[in-house]
């Protein structure tokens, strides 16, 4: 877009076109997306904004339906519009109309066989899968193969897309239908983007996709993640590599070994358990049970006792009995998870679970949600207390006169798993890695005291103004 003459502005009120990236997964996120579109539409009465355009997953998933239900949006662009997004926005800005697409099942756009997908990928829109080569007329930010990406802040952590789509068929999830089948980014593109981010001052990268354990299966090597992680950790300037979203059923010994023994790769396990009662898991079209999940956690902690583990769970799933809920509570009580997300089941249109005739009453789901949420809150607080006396490596993320110095330890992912408050901030700046001893807890958060000696590494990579 910048090559076509567009300029990114800090304040939406200064934009000719406000582009809202939407989420189409859960009701709360959909509501947030609609609220953001309505807020952007208000700018037309107060600022320079002339048009509001919806992009992202909700725009892709609903297309014409969203456009008809939300006339405040001047355009709704699906993934297939991204390649020509500059022309699409110019048309809308000039008062023209771009017909919104009719949604389709994106799983059908790529071959069923993963091995055949890479050859077909060039003909399918895959957001975030742009190659590292820049198009003609765009100067590279650094080196001959800088990624087509722009940083919007100076934070010391950044996400790196590893793959997109999903081949699993969980009965409660609609994501594969609008994100498509699983397809990996090539290792060279992931490495080049990581090198570029390191040059921008990033200290920690977080690998993201719908299912990182499947990485490489469409490239002919299901163990490709095991060989890629050490290469990412060797990138100059990178202090920490984190992998998000792992499927318990796809965990393998070699991957556990790499995640628990590779320097700079944190022993962090974002495991998508969803439940632990066998009957509920089968209804979800998932695998495992309480004892197998606990065995997996024992294996991980035998190799890395301080490993961080988080997971999400759905309660009130159709057919869930009191015995099933008790089994989930048994798992949670013994799992010693660092962070727990609990969600009450609700129908997601287009999913198999929405057709089940064993749904629970909404008040039952709400009661179970409250009950398990209370237990989860107690358990993560207890787990934090278990870390008293541990030494942790903290990546400093904010320095504030009133709130003090805050960062994250290896077992804490950005925004989801709590943070660390350092008792002393003398000489510390955003982007530094500090060794500290845990001396207190505040719920899931830790309070830690920086250790003396050469424990502070790295250097400040953003200005004080940016830090504020």
């Amino acid at each position: 877009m910048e090559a076509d003459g567009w300029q990114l502005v800090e304040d939406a009120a200064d934009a000719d076109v406000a582009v809202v990236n939407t989420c189409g997964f859960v009701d709360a996120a959909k509501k947030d997306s609609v609220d953001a579109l309505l807020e952007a539409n208000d700018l037309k009465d107060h600022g320079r904004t002339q048009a509001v355009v919806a992009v992202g997953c909700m725009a892709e998933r609903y297309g014409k339906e969203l456009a008809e239900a939300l006339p405040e949006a001047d355009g709704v662009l699906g993934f297939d519009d991204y390649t020509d997004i500059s022309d699409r926005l110019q048309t809308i800005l000039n008062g023209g109309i771009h017909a919104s697409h009719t949604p389709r099942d994106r799983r059908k756009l790529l071959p069923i066989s993963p091995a055949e997908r890479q050859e077909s990928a060039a003909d399918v829109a895959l957001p975030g899968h742009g190659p590292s080569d820049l198009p003609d007329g765009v100067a590279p930010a650094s080196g001959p193969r800088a990624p087509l990406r722009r940083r919007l802040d100076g934070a010391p952590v950044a996400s790196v897309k590893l793959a997109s789509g999903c081949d699993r068929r969980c009965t409660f999830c609609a994501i594969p239908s609008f994100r498509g089948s699983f397809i990996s980014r090539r290792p060279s593109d992931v490495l080049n983007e990581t090198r570029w981010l390191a040059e921008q001052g990033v200290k920690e990268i977080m690998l993201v996709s719908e299912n990182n354990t499947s990485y490489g299966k469409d490239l002919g090597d299901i163990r490709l993640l095991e060989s890629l992680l050490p290469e990412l950790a060797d990138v100059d300037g990178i202090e920490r590599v984190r992998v998000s979203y792992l499927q318990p059923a796809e965990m393998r010994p070699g991957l556990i070994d790499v995640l628990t023994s590779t320097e700079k790769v944190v022993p962090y396990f974002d495991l998508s358990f969803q439940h632990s009662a066998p009957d509920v898991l089968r209804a979800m079209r998932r695998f495992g049970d309480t004892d197998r999940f606990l065995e997996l956690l024992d294996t991980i902690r035998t190799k890395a006792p301080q490993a961080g583990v988080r997971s999400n769970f759905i309660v009130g799933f159709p057919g869930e009995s009191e015995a099933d809920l008790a089994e989930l509570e048994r798992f949670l009580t013994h799992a010693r998870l660092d962070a727990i997300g609990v969600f009450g089941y609700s129908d997601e249109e287009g999913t198999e679970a929405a057709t089940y005739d064993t749904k629970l009453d909404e008040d039952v789901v709400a009661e179970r949600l409250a009950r398990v949420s209370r237990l989860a809150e107690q358990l993560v607080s207890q787990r934090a207390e278990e870390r008293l006396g541990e030494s942790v490596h903290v990546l400093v993320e904010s320095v504030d006169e009133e709130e003090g110095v805050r960062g994250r330890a290896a077992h804490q992912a950005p925004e989801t798993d709590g943070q660390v408050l350092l008792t002393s901030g003398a000489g510390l700046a955003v982007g530094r890695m500090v060794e500290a001893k845990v001396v207190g807890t505040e719920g899931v958060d830790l309070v830690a005291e920086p250790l003396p000696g050469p424990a502070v590494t790295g250097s400040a990579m953003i200005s004080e103004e940016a830090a504020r």
Side-chain angles (χ1 to χ4, degrees):
M1 291 181 65
E2 288 184 335
D4 290 334
W6 294 87
Q7 178 184 355
L8 183 69
V9 295
E10 293 289 337
D11 189 340
D14 297 329
D16 296 297
V17 182
V19 181
V20 179
N21 191 32
T22 63
C23 178
F25 179 37
V26 294
D27 286 342
K30 294 176 192 174
K31 182 180 183 302
D32 287 344
S33 298
V34 171
D35 288 345
L37 287 163
L38 295 175
E39 181 181 348
N41 186 66
D42 290 341
L43 296 175
K44 295 179 185 178
D45 299 327
H46 307 295
R48 173 172 174 164
T49 307
Q50 302 172 52
V52 175
V53 176
V55 299
C57 288
M58 189 165 69
E60 171 62 36
R61 183 177 182 184
Y62 297 105
K64 289 182 178 179
E65 182 182 346
L66 177 63
E68 293 170 358
L70 198 69
E72 290 85 354
D74 300 286
V76 175
L77 304 183
F79 297 158
D80 293 330
D81 291 310
Y82 283 12
T83 301
D84 301 313
I85 191 169
S86 182
D87 290 339
R88 300 284 190 268
L89 295 183
Q90 193 63 60
T91 296
I92 295 169
L93 186 60
N94 292 339
I97 297 176
H98 174 67
S100 301
H101 69 289
T102 299
R104 52 182 172 167
D105 189 340
R106 296 192 72 86
R107 290 173 293 191
K108 299 178 180 179
L109 302 183
L110 291 170
I112 295 177
S113 170
E116 299 175 2
R117 290 177 189 165
Q118 291 289 331
E119 291 185 6
S120 304
D123 301 321
V124 177
L126 300 169
H129 281 248
S132 295
D133 291 313
L134 291 168
D136 293 339
V138 179
S142 176
R145 285 177 59 81
L148 195 59
R149 174 172 180 168
R150 174 171 173 174
R151 299 213 72 208
L152 301 182
D153 59 31
V157 59
S159 296
V160 176
K161 192 176 184 68
L162 194 62
S164 67
C166 185
D167 290 340
R168 302 188 71 87
R169 295 295 179 263
C170 301
T171 59
F172 56 83
C173 183
I175 286 178
S177 65
F178 57 86
R179 294 296 298 183
S181 299
F182 184 90
I183 187 161
S184 307
R185 291 183 70 198
R186 294 193 173 275
S188 58
D189 289 331
V190 177
L191 274 165
N192 284 329
E193 187 166 341
T194 299
R195 293 187 184 109
W196 179 80
L197 287 168
E199 292 173 358
Q200 308 305 305
V202 170
K203 295 298 182 182
E204 174 181 330
I205 62 164
M206 184 166 177
L207 300 178
V208 297
S209 78
E210 283 80 0
N211 179 7
N212 284 323
T213 33
S214 284
Y215 180 69
K217 71 176 185 179
D218 53 318
L219 295 171
D221 185 1
I222 190 58
R223 295 177 176 82
L224 191 55
L225 184 57
E226 286 94 307
S227 58
L228 176 60
L229 285 171
E231 293 186 70
L232 294 171
D234 283 341
V235 172
D236 288 341
I238 295 298
E239 297 289 338
R240 185 182 281 173
V241 178
R242 184 183 305 275
V243 184
S244 69
Y245 211 79
L246 302 166
Q247 283 287 346
E250 296 181 31
M251 290 301 295
R252 45 195 181 269
L255 180 56
I256 294 174
D257 287 343
V258 170
L259 287 170
T260 55
S261 65
T262 307
E263 186 178 3
K264 295 186 179 181
V265 175
V266 294
Y268 175 79
F269 293 81
D270 178 8
L271 294 163
S272 173
F273 289 121
Q274 301 298 348
H275 212 283
S276 72
D279 290 344
V280 176
L281 287 168
R282 302 304 175 270
M284 291 179 170
R285 211 182 298 280
R286 297 177 68 84
F287 307 94
D289 55 45
T290 294
D291 293 333
R292 274 189 277 184
F293 290 163
L294 291 176
E295 183 179 329
L296 171 61
L297 295 177
D298 285 343
T299 299
I300 290 169
R301 290 179 174 133
T302 297
K303 296 176 180 295
Q306 292 185 327
V309 186
R310 82 167 325 275
S311 191
N312 293 322
F313 300 89
I314 298 173
V315 298
F317 193 79
E320 181 191 63
S321 66
E322 276 291 340
D324 293 329
L325 191 66
E327 185 68 2
L328 173 59
E329 291 173 324
R330 179 172 81 89
F331 171 69
L332 292 173
T333 301
H334 291 87
R336 296 169 56 230
L337 302 178
D338 293 278
I340 301 171
V342 187
F343 301 88
Y345 173 82
S346 61
D347 284 339
E348 187 66 30
E349 57 191 290
T351 63
E352 183 178 342
T355 68
Y356 289 174
D357 57 7
T358 54
K359 297 190 182 74
L360 306 181
D361 290 339
E362 290 185 6
D363 58 343
V364 174
V365 176
E367 187 277 327
R368 292 183 179 184
L369 173 61
R371 169 176 154 188
V372 177
S373 295
R374 286 194 299 269
L375 175 63
E377 186 175 350
Q378 296 170 6
L379 292 173
V380 295
S381 295
Q382 290 175 14
R383 177 63 182 134
E385 291 172 358
E386 290 179 17
R387 293 190 179 275
L388 286 170
E390 285 186 2
S391 292
V392 292
H393 286 86
V394 180
L395 177 63
V396 176
E397 293 190 313
S398 66
V399 178
D400 184 271
E401 289 184 3
E402 294 183 1
E403 296 186 0
V405 179
R406 297 180 181 270
R408 289 178 298 102
H411 69 280
Q412 297 169 318
E415 301 181 6
T416 60
D417 301 343
Q419 57 186 345
V420 178
L421 171 63
L422 294 174
T423 59
S424 173
L428 299 182
V430 172
R432 296 207 176 182
M433 194 75 75
V434 183
E435 186 176 359
K437 179 180 179 179
V438 180
V439 296
T441 65
E442 296 178 359
V444 70
D445 297 332
L446 303 180
V447 179
E449 180 180 283
L451 296 175
V456 180
T457 63
S459 58
M461 289 298 174
I462 64 175
S463 67
E464 292 182 4
E465 180 180 354
R468 288 196 297 272

